[in-house]
Amino acid sequence: MSNILFSILLICCTSSFKSNATVDIASVRSMFQQAAADEAACKKMIRMLSPYDENNPLLLGYKGSGTMMMAKHVFSPFSKLSYFKKGKQMLENAINTDDKNFELRFLRFIAQTNIPSFLGYDSDIKKDKEFLLNYFSQIKDIRLKEFVLPALIKSKYLTTIEKQQLK
């Protein structure tokens, strides 16, 4: 009897520990970079971020971005649209919770500038671009700067002058 009680207690403590564990943002960023080209990385990222919601807007934003990216990895148009809509909602919820978060605005900018225009998810490109350009120099986290800079430099939505200002 005590073995059963101990097992139940162990399971409860383990699952409680897992849900309270924090995720290393560097790992999330790395998986995000791999997720567009690698379905396994995309799935792994989504699984790792599954416990996160509006209580952690940044991780919810990455979960939403990963969910949108899953649309690249499925064949069915219905599945593609479903992943896109679900991920878009998560990302928008994250931004609504923390609209001054540079990284969340970057995630939306990247999403909106890389998805097909017929999906109609492009209304914040100009606003996010201005936000990113205005606040890039204020970022203290060097790893975040190193993460976002290559994508901004590659973006066809930034002018040559704007790209030079970022360097």
Side-chain angles (χ1 to χ4, degrees), residues 18-34:
K18 273 183 148 181
S19 66
N20 292 329
T22 56
V23 174
D24 176 46
I25 194 64
S27 299
V28 174
R29 290 174 184 155
S30 177
M31 273 192 259
F32 174 81
Q33 291 175 317
Q34 297 169 26

Side-chain angles (χ1 to χ4, degrees), residues 123-135:
S123 61
D124 296 301
I125 292 174
K126 183 177 179 182
K127 179 174 63 172
D128 287 343
K129 175 184 141 175
E130 289 174 15
F131 181 90
L132 296 171
L133 290 172
N134 288 333
Y135 289 99

Side-chain angles (χ1 to χ4, degrees), residues 39-50:
E39 181 179 1
C42 193
K43 286 179 177 179
K44 182 178 178 182
M45 183 174 112
I46 293 168
R47 264 192 320 274
M48 180 177 70
L49 298 173
S50 65

Side-chain angles (χ1 to χ4, degrees), residues 87-146:
K88 173 187 166 189
Q89 187 62 52
M90 283 187 259
L91 181 55
E92 288 300 321
N93 288 347
I95 291 171
N96 288 336
T97 303
D98 188 4
D99 72 335
K100 300 292 186 229
N101 185 303
F102 182 90
E103 202 161 350
L104 287 173
R105 300 286 288 272
F106 169 75
L107 291 174
R108 182 169 65 186
F109 178 78
I110 292 303
Q112 290 191 354
T113 58
N114 284 290
I115 62 169
S117 60
F118 68 82
L119 290 171
Y121 188 47
D122 57 6
S123 61
D124 296 301
I125 292 174
K126 183 177 179 182
K127 179 174 63 172
D128 287 343
K129 175 184 141 175
E130 289 174 15
F131 181 90
L132 296 171
L133 290 172
N134 288 333
Y135 289 99
F136 183 80
S137 64
Q138 297 176 28
I139 297 173
K140 305 269 188 269
D141 182 345
I142 299 300
R143 286 187 266 169
L144 175 58
K145 276 189 168 183
E146 291 171 348

